[in-house]
C-alpha cells in the first residue's frame, strides 16, 4: 500500500514537471515565431527598397522618348527614320524585320496584293526585306516623316517622281547585290529575294550627302487611348479575293496579332509573331491609272476610318496633318497607345468585319 502511494506521488510529480516544461515551451514559441516573422518582414522590406531603388534608377535613366512609339528610353533618339518598301507577295513571306518596325503602312500596289512601307527608328534590325519597288503614295508617306526612303527599282517615270519629290532615297537597283547595302538571297527568286543590309545605310547616306541626324516629330500618345470604343476580338480586312488581313486581340498581352490570308505573320529573323498596339484603318479613294494596274491614292482629302486599341474599336475620321495621316473624332485629335502601329489604307470597296 505504501509502495503504491509512493508510485502515485512520483507519477504526479512527473506529470507536473512535464506540464511545466510544456508551458515553458509554449510560452517561448510565440517569441520565436515573432522573431522569425520580424526577420521575414525585414527581408521583404530590404527587397522592396532595392526594387524601388532600381526602378527609380531606371526611370532616371529614361531621359528620352521614342517619337514613333511613345516608349521611354535611355538611348539617343536624334537620328532619322529609315523607311523601307517591303514585299508582301505570298512568295516573299515570311518577311524579315517587320517585328522591329515602329509603324507599318499596308497599301495596295498592283492587282489585289498589298505592299508595305515599314518605318524603323527605335529598333533597326540587321536585315530588312524582301525590298520592292517604289510607288508615289508610299514616298509621300515617308516624306511626311522626313524619313530616308528605301526601295528596289521602279519605272523611269516613278524614279523621276522620287527625284522630283526631294525625298532622300536609296534605290536598291543602284546597289543590287553589292554585299554591303543590298544582298540577294539564294533560297528565293527575284523579285522576292533582295534584302537591305542596314549596317551599310550609314555609308550610303554619307556618300549621297544626306543628313543622318535629326529629331523626328513625335506622334500623339496617351496611355488611355480610345478605351471608349466597341470591344472586338478579331478584325478582318478584305482587300479582294487575294488579300485578307486579320488582327486578333491578345487580351493577356494587350496587343493585336496580325495574320495574312489566314496565316500568322511571322518575322523570319526571330520567328516572332508580329504584334502591334494600334491598328489604324484609313478609308480613301483609289483609282487605277494605267493598263498595268498602278494606282493613284488620295492621301490628302481626309475621310472615315477605324482606330483599334486595347481590344476596342472606334469609328473615327482621318486628316492629313503636315504629311501625316492622323485620327480625329468630332474635330479633336486622338492619341495612339504607346507601342507599335499598323496602318491599313483601304479603298471603299474593301470590307472591314469584326467579331
Amino acid at each position: 500500500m505504501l509502495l503504491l502511494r509512493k508510485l502515485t506521488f512520483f507519477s504526479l510529480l512527473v506529470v507536473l514537471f512535464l506540464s511545466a516544461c510544456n508551458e515553458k515551451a509554449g510560452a517561448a514559441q510565440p517569441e520565436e515565431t515573432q522573431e522569425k516573422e520580424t526577420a521575414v518582414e525585414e527581408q521583404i522590406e530590404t527587397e522592396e527598397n532595392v526594387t524601388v531603388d532600381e526602378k527609380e534608377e531606371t526611370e532616371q535613366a529614361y531621359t528620352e522618348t521614342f517619337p514613333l512609339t511613345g516608349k521611354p528610353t535611355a538611348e539617343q533618339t536624334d537620328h532619322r527614320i529609315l523607311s523601307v518598301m517591303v514585299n508582301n507577295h505570298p512568295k516573299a513571306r515570311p518577311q524579315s524585320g517587320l517585328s522591329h518596325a515602329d509603324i507599318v503602312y499596308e497599301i495596295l500596289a498592283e492587282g489585289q496584293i498589298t505592299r508595305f512601307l515599314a518605318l524603323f527608328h527605335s529598333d533597326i534590325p540587321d536585315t530588312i526585306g524582301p525590298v520592292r519597288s517604289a510607288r508615289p503614295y508610299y514616298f509621300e508617306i515617308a516624306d511626311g516623316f522626313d524619313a530616308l526612303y528605301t526601295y528596289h527599282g521602279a519605272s523611269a517615270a516613278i524614279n523621276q517622281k522620287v527625284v522630283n519629290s526631294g525625298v532622300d532615297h536609296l534605290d536598291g537597283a543602284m546597289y543590287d547585290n553589292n554585299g554591303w547595302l543590298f544582298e540577294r538571297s539564294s533560297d528565293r527568286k527575284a523579285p522576292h529575294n533582295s534584302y537591305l543590309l542596314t549596317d551599310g545605310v550609314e555609308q550610303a547616306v554619307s556618300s549621297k550627302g544626306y543628313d543622318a541626324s535629326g529629331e523626328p516629330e513625335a506622334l500623339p500618345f496617351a496611355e488611355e487611348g480610345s478605351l471608349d470604343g466597341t470591344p472586338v476580338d478579331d478584325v478582318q480586312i478584305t482587300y479582294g479575293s487575294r488579300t485578307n488581313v486579320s488582327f486578333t486581340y491578345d487580351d493577356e498581352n494587350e496587343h493585336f496579332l496580325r495574320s495574312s490570308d489566314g496565316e500568322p505573320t511571322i518575322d523570319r529573323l526571330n520567328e516572332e509573331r508580329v504584334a502591334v498596339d494600334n491598328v489604324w484603318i484609313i478609308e480613301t479613294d483609289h483609282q487605277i491609272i494605267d493598263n498595268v494596274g498602278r494606282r493613284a491614292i488620295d492621301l490628302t482629302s481626309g475621310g472615315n476610318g477605324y482606330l483599334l486599341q486595347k481590344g476596342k474599336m472606334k469609328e473615327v475620321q482621318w486628316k492629313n496633318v503636315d504629311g501625316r495621316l492622323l485620327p480625329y473624332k468630332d474635330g479633336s485629335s486622338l492619341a495612339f497607345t504607346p507601342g507599335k502601329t499598323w496602318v491599313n489604307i483601304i479603298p471603299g470597296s474593301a470590307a472591314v468585319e469584326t467579331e
Side-chain angles (χ1 to χ4, degrees):
M1 184 71 174
L2 179 59
L3 179 61
L4 178 61
R5 287 178 180 176
K6 287 182 177 179
L7 289 173
T8 303
F9 178 72
F10 178 76
S11 300
L12 179 60
L13 288 176
V14 172
V15 170
L16 291 173
F17 176 76
L18 291 175
S19 298
C21 291
N22 288 337
E23 288 177 3
K24 185 177 181 181
Q29 186 174 359
E31 184 177 348
E32 293 175 359
T33 302
Q34 186 175 1
E35 290 177 354
K36 291 180 180 179
E37 290 176 349
T38 301
V40 171
E41 289 173 358
E42 290 176 350
Q43 178 65 24
I44 292 173
E45 184 177 355
T46 300
E47 292 175 354
E48 288 179 346
N49 287 337
V50 170
T51 302
V52 170
D53 291 342
E54 288 177 350
K55 183 178 180 182
E56 289 178 351
E57 289 177 3
T58 301
E59 289 176 348
Q60 290 173 1
Y62 288 161
T63 57
E64 304 288 339
T65 301
F66 284 122
L68 301 189
T69 65
K71 293 285 191 178
T73 179
E75 300 177 22
Q76 293 297 315
T77 61
D78 57 344
H79 57 275
R80 292 186 68 178
I81 298 165
L82 173 66
S83 69
V84 185
M85 294 290 299
V86 178
N87 193 344
N88 190 37
H89 191 282
K91 293 182 179 179
R93 303 171 191 163
Q95 297 92 341
S96 297
L98 290 180
S99 67
H100 298 261
D102 293 336
I103 308 175
V104 177
Y105 288 84
E106 180 172 10
I107 321 173
L108 286 167
E110 285 77 58
Q112 296 179 353
I113 297 176
T114 58
R115 191 169 297 176
F116 306 146
L117 178 70
L119 273 58
F120 300 87
H121 185 263
S122 68
D123 182 13
I124 301 178
D126 294 335
T127 306
I128 302 170
V131 183
R132 278 304 312 265
S133 56
R135 296 292 181 272
Y137 40 91
Y138 292 102
F139 67 70
E140 287 176 22
I141 293 172
D143 196 32
F145 288 90
D146 190 30
L148 180 69
Y149 182 62
T150 310
Y151 63 101
H152 193 131
S155 67
I158 292 179
N159 265 328
Q160 191 59 50
K161 288 182 179 180
V162 174
V163 173
N164 293 342
S165 72
V167 64
D168 291 349
H169 60 279
L170 298 175
D171 180 3
M174 307 301 294
Y175 306 89
D176 190 15
N177 206 29
N178 68 356
W180 61 269
L181 187 62
F182 278 85
E183 184 175 69
R184 295 274 184 181
S185 67
S186 59
D187 60 340
R188 293 178 176 178
K189 295 182 179 180
H192 312 301
N193 66 345
S194 180
Y195 292 84
L196 174 68
L197 307 178
T198 59
D199 283 345
V201 170
E202 183 178 357
Q203 178 183 338
V205 166
S206 177
S207 67
K208 300 265 292 186
Y210 298 151
D211 190 356
S213 62
E215 184 74 38
E217 182 181 350
L219 291 172
F221 288 100
E223 289 293 340
E224 63 271 16
S226 62
L227 299 183
D228 57 341
T230 302
V232 291
D233 292 324
D234 187 81
V235 177
Q236 302 275 341
I237 304 170
T238 304
Y239 282 88
S241 60
R242 296 191 65 186
T243 299
N244 175 271
V245 180
S246 66
F247 294 93
T248 303
Y249 188 62
D250 177 359
D251 187 65
E252 180 179 354
N253 296 297
E254 295 189 327
H255 55 208
F256 290 91
L257 302 173
R258 186 186 184 278
S259 296
S260 190
D261 300 328
E263 295 293 329
T265 303
I266 304 296
D267 192 325
R268 193 182 189 191
L269 289 182
N270 52 25
E271 299 298 323
E272 288 184 7
R273 178 83 176 269
V274 171
V276 295
D277 301 278
N278 304 277
V279 178
W280 177 208
I281 304 172
I282 294 170
E283 182 180 308
T284 191
D285 184 57
H286 290 51
Q287 292 186 353
I288 304 295
I289 58 174
D290 60 26
N291 56 8
V292 179
R294 295 188 180 94
R295 289 177 166 86
I297 297 179
D298 181 5
L299 299 180
T300 59
S301 298
N304 296 322
Y306 304 92
L307 184 60
L308 285 75
Q309 301 167 325
K310 301 288 187 181
K312 294 188 177 181
M313 177 175 177
K314 176 187 286 187
E315 293 188 30
V316 299
Q317 297 82 44
W318 67 271
K319 292 183 180 181
N320 185 315
V321 181
D322 298 326
R324 298 185 177 193
L325 311 179
L326 301 178
Y328 279 75
K329 183 67 174 179
D330 300 327
S332 297
S333 175
L334 299 178
F336 294 103
T337 296
K340 298 179 183 297
T341 301
W342 195 287
V343 186
N344 284 87
I345 297 179
I346 64 173
S349 59
V352 178
E353 301 172 298
T354 64
E355 293 183 6

